Short mmCIF file of all heavy atoms in Angstrom, two decimals:
data_model
loop_
_atom_site.label_atom_id
_atom_site.label_comp_id
_atom_site.label_asym_id
_atom_site.label_seq_id
_atom_site.Cartn_x
_atom_site.Cartn_y
_atom_site.Cartn_z
N ARG A 17 -101.02 -68.65 143.47
CA ARG A 17 -101.45 -68.21 144.82
C ARG A 17 -100.22 -67.96 145.74
O ARG A 17 -100.42 -67.79 146.96
CB ARG A 17 -102.43 -69.23 145.42
CG ARG A 17 -103.79 -69.10 144.74
CD ARG A 17 -104.54 -70.42 144.73
NE ARG A 17 -105.76 -70.24 143.93
CZ ARG A 17 -105.81 -70.31 142.61
NH1 ARG A 17 -104.73 -70.57 141.91
NH2 ARG A 17 -106.96 -70.12 142.00
N GLY A 18 -99.07 -67.95 145.15
CA GLY A 18 -97.88 -67.69 145.94
C GLY A 18 -97.63 -68.70 147.01
O GLY A 18 -96.97 -68.49 148.00
N TYR A 19 -98.15 -69.96 146.79
CA TYR A 19 -97.94 -71.12 147.71
C TYR A 19 -98.50 -70.78 149.10
O TYR A 19 -98.06 -71.43 150.07
CB TYR A 19 -96.49 -71.53 147.77
CG TYR A 19 -95.90 -71.84 146.42
CD1 TYR A 19 -95.20 -70.87 145.67
CD2 TYR A 19 -96.07 -73.09 145.87
CE1 TYR A 19 -94.69 -71.17 144.41
CE2 TYR A 19 -95.58 -73.41 144.62
CZ TYR A 19 -94.87 -72.43 143.90
OH TYR A 19 -94.35 -72.72 142.62
N ALA A 20 -99.45 -69.92 149.18
CA ALA A 20 -100.06 -69.57 150.51
C ALA A 20 -101.53 -70.06 150.49
O ALA A 20 -102.19 -70.03 149.46
CB ALA A 20 -100.01 -68.09 150.72
N GLY A 21 -102.00 -70.49 151.63
CA GLY A 21 -103.36 -70.97 151.72
C GLY A 21 -103.73 -71.26 153.16
O GLY A 21 -103.03 -70.89 154.10
N HIS A 22 -104.83 -71.99 153.33
CA HIS A 22 -105.32 -72.40 154.65
C HIS A 22 -104.82 -73.77 154.98
O HIS A 22 -104.27 -74.50 154.17
CB HIS A 22 -106.84 -72.30 154.70
CG HIS A 22 -107.37 -70.91 154.69
ND1 HIS A 22 -108.28 -70.47 153.80
CD2 HIS A 22 -107.05 -69.83 155.47
CE1 HIS A 22 -108.55 -69.21 153.98
NE2 HIS A 22 -107.80 -68.79 155.01
N ASP A 23 -105.05 -74.15 156.27
CA ASP A 23 -104.58 -75.41 156.80
C ASP A 23 -105.70 -75.99 157.67
O ASP A 23 -106.45 -75.23 158.29
CB ASP A 23 -103.33 -75.22 157.63
CG ASP A 23 -102.66 -76.52 157.98
OD1 ASP A 23 -102.99 -77.14 159.02
OD2 ASP A 23 -101.74 -76.93 157.22
N PRO A 24 -105.85 -77.32 157.77
CA PRO A 24 -106.90 -77.86 158.62
C PRO A 24 -106.80 -77.38 160.08
O PRO A 24 -107.82 -77.31 160.76
CB PRO A 24 -106.65 -79.36 158.52
CG PRO A 24 -105.98 -79.58 157.23
CD PRO A 24 -105.13 -78.37 157.00
N PHE A 25 -105.62 -77.03 160.54
CA PHE A 25 -105.41 -76.76 161.95
C PHE A 25 -105.17 -75.23 162.24
O PHE A 25 -104.69 -74.89 163.32
CB PHE A 25 -104.21 -77.56 162.48
CG PHE A 25 -104.42 -79.03 162.49
CD1 PHE A 25 -104.05 -79.80 161.38
CD2 PHE A 25 -105.07 -79.66 163.54
CE1 PHE A 25 -104.27 -81.17 161.35
CE2 PHE A 25 -105.29 -81.06 163.50
CZ PHE A 25 -104.89 -81.79 162.42
N ASP A 26 -105.53 -74.37 161.29
CA ASP A 26 -105.21 -72.95 161.49
C ASP A 26 -106.38 -72.15 162.07
O ASP A 26 -106.35 -70.91 162.09
CB ASP A 26 -104.79 -72.33 160.14
CG ASP A 26 -105.92 -72.31 159.12
OD1 ASP A 26 -107.05 -72.72 159.42
OD2 ASP A 26 -105.64 -71.89 157.94
N GLY A 27 -107.35 -72.80 162.69
CA GLY A 27 -108.52 -72.09 163.24
C GLY A 27 -108.14 -71.08 164.29
O GLY A 27 -108.83 -70.04 164.44
N LEU A 28 -107.07 -71.30 165.04
CA LEU A 28 -106.69 -70.37 166.12
C LEU A 28 -106.08 -69.07 165.59
O LEU A 28 -105.82 -68.14 166.33
CB LEU A 28 -105.74 -71.03 167.12
CG LEU A 28 -106.33 -72.22 167.84
CD1 LEU A 28 -105.33 -72.74 168.87
CD2 LEU A 28 -107.63 -71.84 168.53
N ASN A 29 -105.87 -68.99 164.22
CA ASN A 29 -105.46 -67.78 163.65
C ASN A 29 -106.63 -66.79 163.47
O ASN A 29 -106.45 -65.71 162.94
CB ASN A 29 -104.83 -68.00 162.25
CG ASN A 29 -103.39 -68.46 162.39
OD1 ASN A 29 -102.80 -68.41 163.45
ND2 ASN A 29 -102.79 -68.85 161.26
N SER A 30 -107.84 -67.20 163.89
CA SER A 30 -109.03 -66.37 163.76
C SER A 30 -108.84 -65.02 164.49
O SER A 30 -108.56 -65.01 165.69
CB SER A 30 -110.24 -67.11 164.33
OG SER A 30 -111.29 -66.23 164.55
N ARG A 31 -109.05 -63.95 163.79
CA ARG A 31 -108.91 -62.63 164.41
C ARG A 31 -110.06 -62.45 165.44
O ARG A 31 -109.87 -61.82 166.48
CB ARG A 31 -109.00 -61.51 163.34
CG ARG A 31 -107.77 -61.46 162.44
CD ARG A 31 -107.73 -60.22 161.63
NE ARG A 31 -108.85 -60.16 160.71
CZ ARG A 31 -108.87 -60.66 159.47
NH1 ARG A 31 -107.79 -61.30 159.03
NH2 ARG A 31 -109.90 -60.55 158.68
N LEU A 32 -111.23 -63.01 165.14
CA LEU A 32 -112.32 -62.90 166.06
C LEU A 32 -112.03 -63.66 167.38
O LEU A 32 -112.25 -63.13 168.47
CB LEU A 32 -113.62 -63.47 165.44
CG LEU A 32 -114.19 -62.73 164.26
CD1 LEU A 32 -115.44 -63.41 163.73
CD2 LEU A 32 -114.56 -61.27 164.65
N PHE A 33 -111.55 -64.86 167.27
CA PHE A 33 -111.24 -65.65 168.48
C PHE A 33 -110.13 -65.01 169.29
O PHE A 33 -110.21 -64.93 170.53
CB PHE A 33 -110.81 -67.06 168.06
CG PHE A 33 -110.54 -67.98 169.21
CD1 PHE A 33 -111.55 -68.53 169.91
CD2 PHE A 33 -109.25 -68.26 169.56
CE1 PHE A 33 -111.32 -69.36 171.00
CE2 PHE A 33 -108.97 -69.11 170.66
CZ PHE A 33 -110.02 -69.64 171.36
N GLN A 34 -109.10 -64.48 168.59
CA GLN A 34 -107.98 -63.87 169.30
C GLN A 34 -108.38 -62.61 170.04
O GLN A 34 -107.62 -62.15 170.94
CB GLN A 34 -106.80 -63.60 168.32
CG GLN A 34 -106.18 -64.85 167.79
CD GLN A 34 -105.50 -65.72 168.87
OE1 GLN A 34 -105.00 -65.20 169.88
NE2 GLN A 34 -105.54 -67.04 168.72
N ALA A 35 -109.49 -62.02 169.67
CA ALA A 35 -109.95 -60.80 170.34
C ALA A 35 -110.79 -61.10 171.56
O ALA A 35 -111.24 -60.17 172.25
CB ALA A 35 -110.79 -59.98 169.34
N THR A 36 -110.97 -62.39 171.94
CA THR A 36 -111.78 -62.75 173.08
C THR A 36 -110.94 -63.37 174.16
O THR A 36 -109.83 -63.89 173.87
CB THR A 36 -112.86 -63.75 172.66
OG1 THR A 36 -112.26 -65.03 172.43
CG2 THR A 36 -113.61 -63.29 171.44
N PRO A 37 -111.43 -63.42 175.43
CA PRO A 37 -110.68 -64.09 176.50
C PRO A 37 -110.59 -65.58 176.28
O PRO A 37 -109.74 -66.24 176.91
CB PRO A 37 -111.53 -63.74 177.74
CG PRO A 37 -112.34 -62.57 177.36
CD PRO A 37 -112.62 -62.70 175.90
N LEU A 38 -111.40 -66.14 175.40
CA LEU A 38 -111.37 -67.59 175.17
C LEU A 38 -110.03 -68.03 174.62
O LEU A 38 -109.67 -69.23 174.72
CB LEU A 38 -112.48 -67.97 174.20
CG LEU A 38 -113.91 -67.87 174.71
CD1 LEU A 38 -114.88 -68.09 173.58
CD2 LEU A 38 -114.15 -68.83 175.84
N LYS A 39 -109.24 -67.13 174.10
CA LYS A 39 -107.93 -67.51 173.50
C LYS A 39 -107.02 -68.10 174.60
O LYS A 39 -106.03 -68.76 174.28
CB LYS A 39 -107.29 -66.35 172.84
CG LYS A 39 -106.84 -65.21 173.76
CD LYS A 39 -106.18 -64.12 172.97
CE LYS A 39 -105.69 -62.98 173.90
NZ LYS A 39 -105.06 -61.91 173.13
N HIS A 40 -107.34 -67.81 175.87
CA HIS A 40 -106.51 -68.33 176.98
C HIS A 40 -106.98 -69.69 177.49
O HIS A 40 -106.31 -70.27 178.33
CB HIS A 40 -106.52 -67.33 178.13
CG HIS A 40 -106.01 -65.98 177.77
ND1 HIS A 40 -104.72 -65.73 177.35
CD2 HIS A 40 -106.66 -64.75 177.72
CE1 HIS A 40 -104.54 -64.43 177.09
NE2 HIS A 40 -105.72 -63.86 177.28
N SER A 41 -108.09 -70.18 176.98
CA SER A 41 -108.65 -71.46 177.43
C SER A 41 -108.22 -72.64 176.61
O SER A 41 -108.52 -72.67 175.40
CB SER A 41 -110.19 -71.37 177.44
OG SER A 41 -110.73 -72.65 177.58
N PRO A 42 -107.47 -73.62 177.15
CA PRO A 42 -107.08 -74.78 176.35
C PRO A 42 -108.30 -75.53 175.79
O PRO A 42 -108.21 -75.96 174.60
CB PRO A 42 -106.34 -75.66 177.37
CG PRO A 42 -105.83 -74.71 178.39
CD PRO A 42 -106.89 -73.63 178.51
N PHE A 43 -109.40 -75.60 176.55
CA PHE A 43 -110.59 -76.30 176.06
C PHE A 43 -111.22 -75.56 174.87
O PHE A 43 -111.53 -76.14 173.85
CB PHE A 43 -111.60 -76.43 177.15
CG PHE A 43 -112.90 -77.12 176.77
CD1 PHE A 43 -112.94 -78.48 176.51
CD2 PHE A 43 -114.06 -76.39 176.56
CE1 PHE A 43 -114.09 -79.11 176.08
CE2 PHE A 43 -115.22 -76.99 176.10
CZ PHE A 43 -115.22 -78.34 175.89
N ALA A 44 -111.29 -74.22 174.99
CA ALA A 44 -111.87 -73.44 173.91
C ALA A 44 -110.99 -73.50 172.67
O ALA A 44 -111.48 -73.57 171.54
CB ALA A 44 -112.04 -71.95 174.34
N ARG A 45 -109.68 -73.48 172.85
CA ARG A 45 -108.75 -73.58 171.71
C ARG A 45 -108.92 -74.93 170.99
O ARG A 45 -108.95 -74.97 169.76
CB ARG A 45 -107.30 -73.40 172.17
CG ARG A 45 -106.98 -71.99 172.69
CD ARG A 45 -105.47 -71.77 172.79
NE ARG A 45 -104.84 -72.69 173.75
CZ ARG A 45 -104.39 -72.30 174.93
NH1 ARG A 45 -104.54 -71.03 175.35
NH2 ARG A 45 -103.82 -73.18 175.74
N LEU A 46 -109.05 -76.01 171.80
CA LEU A 46 -109.17 -77.34 171.17
C LEU A 46 -110.53 -77.43 170.45
O LEU A 46 -110.59 -77.97 169.34
CB LEU A 46 -109.09 -78.41 172.30
CG LEU A 46 -109.15 -79.86 171.79
CD1 LEU A 46 -107.98 -80.14 170.86
CD2 LEU A 46 -109.11 -80.80 172.97
N VAL A 47 -111.58 -76.91 171.04
CA VAL A 47 -112.93 -76.97 170.43
C VAL A 47 -112.92 -76.24 169.11
O VAL A 47 -113.42 -76.72 168.07
CB VAL A 47 -114.01 -76.46 171.39
CG1 VAL A 47 -115.32 -76.23 170.62
CG2 VAL A 47 -114.20 -77.40 172.55
N LEU A 48 -112.38 -75.00 169.12
CA LEU A 48 -112.36 -74.21 167.89
C LEU A 48 -111.53 -74.87 166.79
O LEU A 48 -111.97 -74.96 165.65
CB LEU A 48 -111.84 -72.81 168.16
CG LEU A 48 -111.79 -71.89 166.92
CD1 LEU A 48 -113.20 -71.62 166.37
CD2 LEU A 48 -111.07 -70.63 167.19
N THR A 49 -110.35 -75.35 167.17
CA THR A 49 -109.47 -76.02 166.21
C THR A 49 -110.20 -77.18 165.51
O THR A 49 -110.23 -77.32 164.28
CB THR A 49 -108.19 -76.54 166.86
OG1 THR A 49 -107.49 -75.43 167.39
CG2 THR A 49 -107.30 -77.26 165.84
N GLN A 50 -110.87 -78.02 166.32
CA GLN A 50 -111.51 -79.21 165.79
C GLN A 50 -112.82 -78.83 165.02
O GLN A 50 -113.15 -79.44 164.00
CB GLN A 50 -111.84 -80.21 166.89
CG GLN A 50 -110.64 -80.85 167.50
CD GLN A 50 -109.81 -81.62 166.47
OE1 GLN A 50 -110.37 -82.37 165.65
NE2 GLN A 50 -108.49 -81.43 166.53
N ALA A 51 -113.52 -77.81 165.49
CA ALA A 51 -114.78 -77.39 164.81
C ALA A 51 -114.41 -76.90 163.40
O ALA A 51 -115.12 -77.20 162.42
CB ALA A 51 -115.46 -76.33 165.60
N VAL A 52 -113.39 -76.04 163.33
CA VAL A 52 -113.00 -75.49 161.99
C VAL A 52 -112.48 -76.61 161.11
O VAL A 52 -112.78 -76.66 159.91
CB VAL A 52 -111.98 -74.38 162.19
CG1 VAL A 52 -111.41 -73.91 160.84
CG2 VAL A 52 -112.58 -73.21 162.95
N LYS A 53 -111.71 -77.51 161.68
CA LYS A 53 -111.15 -78.59 160.89
C LYS A 53 -112.20 -79.54 160.37
O LYS A 53 -112.15 -80.01 159.22
CB LYS A 53 -110.16 -79.35 161.80
CG LYS A 53 -109.61 -80.68 161.15
CD LYS A 53 -108.59 -81.28 162.12
CE LYS A 53 -108.03 -82.61 161.61
NZ LYS A 53 -108.99 -83.70 161.85
N ARG A 54 -113.22 -79.81 161.17
CA ARG A 54 -114.24 -80.83 160.81
C ARG A 54 -115.43 -80.28 160.07
O ARG A 54 -116.26 -81.03 159.58
CB ARG A 54 -114.70 -81.52 162.10
CG ARG A 54 -113.62 -82.35 162.76
CD ARG A 54 -114.11 -82.83 164.14
NE ARG A 54 -113.04 -83.52 164.87
CZ ARG A 54 -112.80 -84.81 164.79
NH1 ARG A 54 -113.59 -85.57 164.01
NH2 ARG A 54 -111.81 -85.41 165.49
N SER A 55 -115.54 -78.99 159.98
CA SER A 55 -116.70 -78.36 159.33
C SER A 55 -116.80 -78.77 157.85
O SER A 55 -115.78 -78.71 157.14
CB SER A 55 -116.65 -76.84 159.44
OG SER A 55 -117.71 -76.25 158.68
N PRO A 56 -117.97 -79.14 157.33
CA PRO A 56 -118.16 -79.46 155.91
C PRO A 56 -118.01 -78.26 155.00
O PRO A 56 -117.83 -78.39 153.81
CB PRO A 56 -119.55 -80.07 155.85
CG PRO A 56 -120.27 -79.50 157.04
CD PRO A 56 -119.23 -79.33 158.11
N VAL A 57 -118.11 -77.04 155.58
CA VAL A 57 -117.90 -75.82 154.82
C VAL A 57 -116.74 -75.06 155.45
O VAL A 57 -116.45 -75.19 156.66
CB VAL A 57 -119.18 -74.94 154.82
CG1 VAL A 57 -120.29 -75.67 154.09
CG2 VAL A 57 -119.59 -74.55 156.19
N ASN A 58 -116.11 -74.22 154.66
CA ASN A 58 -114.93 -73.46 155.14
C ASN A 58 -115.38 -72.26 155.93
O ASN A 58 -115.93 -71.30 155.42
CB ASN A 58 -114.10 -73.04 153.94
CG ASN A 58 -112.78 -72.44 154.39
OD1 ASN A 58 -112.43 -72.41 155.57
ND2 ASN A 58 -111.99 -71.96 153.43
N LEU A 59 -115.16 -72.29 157.26
CA LEU A 59 -115.56 -71.21 158.16
C LEU A 59 -114.53 -70.08 158.25
O LEU A 59 -114.86 -69.06 158.89
CB LEU A 59 -115.80 -71.80 159.58
CG LEU A 59 -116.86 -72.91 159.68
CD1 LEU A 59 -116.89 -73.43 161.11
CD2 LEU A 59 -118.23 -72.35 159.31
N ARG A 60 -113.39 -70.25 157.63
CA ARG A 60 -112.33 -69.27 157.87
C ARG A 60 -112.64 -67.89 157.41
O ARG A 60 -112.24 -66.92 158.11
CB ARG A 60 -111.06 -69.83 157.22
CG ARG A 60 -110.54 -71.06 157.90
CD ARG A 60 -109.46 -71.81 157.09
NE ARG A 60 -109.09 -73.02 157.81
CZ ARG A 60 -109.82 -74.16 157.77
NH1 ARG A 60 -110.92 -74.23 157.04
NH2 ARG A 60 -109.43 -75.21 158.42
N PRO A 61 -113.29 -67.68 156.29
CA PRO A 61 -113.63 -66.30 155.92
C PRO A 61 -114.51 -65.60 156.96
O PRO A 61 -114.29 -64.39 157.27
CB PRO A 61 -114.38 -66.44 154.58
CG PRO A 61 -113.85 -67.70 154.04
CD PRO A 61 -113.62 -68.61 155.21
N LEU A 62 -115.42 -66.33 157.57
CA LEU A 62 -116.28 -65.75 158.63
C LEU A 62 -115.48 -65.46 159.86
O LEU A 62 -115.80 -64.49 160.60
CB LEU A 62 -117.45 -66.70 158.94
CG LEU A 62 -118.43 -66.97 157.80
CD1 LEU A 62 -119.45 -68.02 158.22
CD2 LEU A 62 -119.16 -65.65 157.42
N LEU A 63 -114.50 -66.30 160.20
CA LEU A 63 -113.75 -66.15 161.44
C LEU A 63 -112.54 -65.23 161.32
O LEU A 63 -111.86 -64.98 162.31
CB LEU A 63 -113.32 -67.53 161.93
CG LEU A 63 -114.40 -68.49 162.30
CD1 LEU A 63 -113.84 -69.86 162.55
CD2 LEU A 63 -115.15 -68.01 163.54
#
């Protein structure tokens, strides 16, 4: 895999999130980071 992959804390790399004004909100950034990290399923393909 070329030593590339996902990380528990990479939720803010979401192209969907970065396209919204929420990317400027510390609270929204924290919520998304923790939601993606804690999800029992991998949400990254959707995001």
Side-chain angles (χ1 to χ4, degrees):
R17 287 151 185 82
Y19 303 96
H22 288 127
D23 192 273
F25 295 92
D26 65 3
L28 297 184
N29 279 352
S30 165
R31 291 192 297 272
L32 292 179
F33 182 78
Q34 291 298 326
T36 74
L38 291 173
K39 68 179 182 180
H40 301 296
S41 165
F43 179 74
R45 292 194 299 253
L46 184 61
V47 168
L48 179 65
T49 299
Q50 291 301 316
V52 173
K53 174 177 176 281
R54 296 171 184 270
S55 173
V57 296
N58 189 4
L59 300 175
R60 291 165 184 81
L62 296 174
L63 295 171

